Amino acid sequence: MSLDNVNHGELLALRDTLRSFAAARGWQAYHTPKNLVMALIVEAAELVEHFQWLSGEESLTLPAEKLTAVREEVADVLIYLIELADVLQIDLHAAARDKIARNALKYPAPD
C-alpha cells in the first residue's frame, strides 16, 4: 500500500494492531513515553546509518537490498511513533493537519 492510499481509519487500525501485539506479550508496562521516545530515537538513528556517507543522488537510488533494510527501519520508526502517540492520547492525523496549517501561516508560499 502506498501512502496515497492510507486514510485515518487505517492509521487507527494499525494503532489497534500494535495495542494487541503489545498486550499479547505483556509489554504495556514498558511502553511509557520515556521508553518509547528512547526506542524511537534509536530506530531513527539506525535509519540514518543507511544514508550516512551517501550523496544526495545516491540516497535517491538505493539498491534493492538497501531499500529493504531502510523499509524495515522506517516501519520501526512509525511503530514507535504510533505507540507514543497512543500512550499520550495524541491523534496523529489531527496533529499533523494542525501542524501543516501552522506551518502554512509561518512559511507562506511565494506569490
Side-chain angles (χ1 to χ4, degrees), residues 57-80:
E57 183 63 33
E58 289 170 327
S59 72
L60 291 168
T61 56
L62 297 175
E65 183 177 304
K66 176 78 81 174
L67 187 57
T68 297
V70 166
R71 181 179 184 269
E72 289 183 15
E73 298 303 340
V74 166
D76 286 338
V77 169
L78 178 62
I79 286 167
Y80 282 121

Side-chain angles (χ1 to χ4, degrees), residues 29-100:
Y30 306 105
H31 285 192
T32 63
K34 175 195 150 296
N35 289 346
L36 291 168
V37 166
M38 291 173 65
L40 174 63
I41 200 66
V42 167
E43 294 302 336
E46 290 177 8
L47 179 59
V48 168
E49 283 183 310
H50 293 286
F51 295 94
Q52 193 176 358
W53 307 113
L54 299 181
S55 68
E57 183 63 33
E58 289 170 327
S59 72
L60 291 168
T61 56
L62 297 175
E65 183 177 304
K66 176 78 81 174
L67 187 57
T68 297
V70 166
R71 181 179 184 269
E72 289 183 15
E73 298 303 340
V74 166
D76 286 338
V77 169
L78 178 62
I79 286 167
Y80 282 121
L81 182 61
I82 290 171
E83 290 177 326
L84 176 63
D86 188 27
V87 168
L88 294 174
Q89 299 179 356
I90 295 170
D91 179 335
L92 281 174
H93 192 257
R97 278 195 331 261
D98 293 347
K99 182 63 176 179
I100 292 167

Side-chain angles (χ1 to χ4, degrees), residues 15-36:
R15 180 209 59 199
D16 293 344
T17 299
L18 293 169
R19 281 180 180 174
S20 296
F21 188 90
R25 289 153 181 82
W27 290 351
Q28 305 95 318
Y30 306 105
H31 285 192
T32 63
K34 175 195 150 296
N35 289 346
L36 291 168

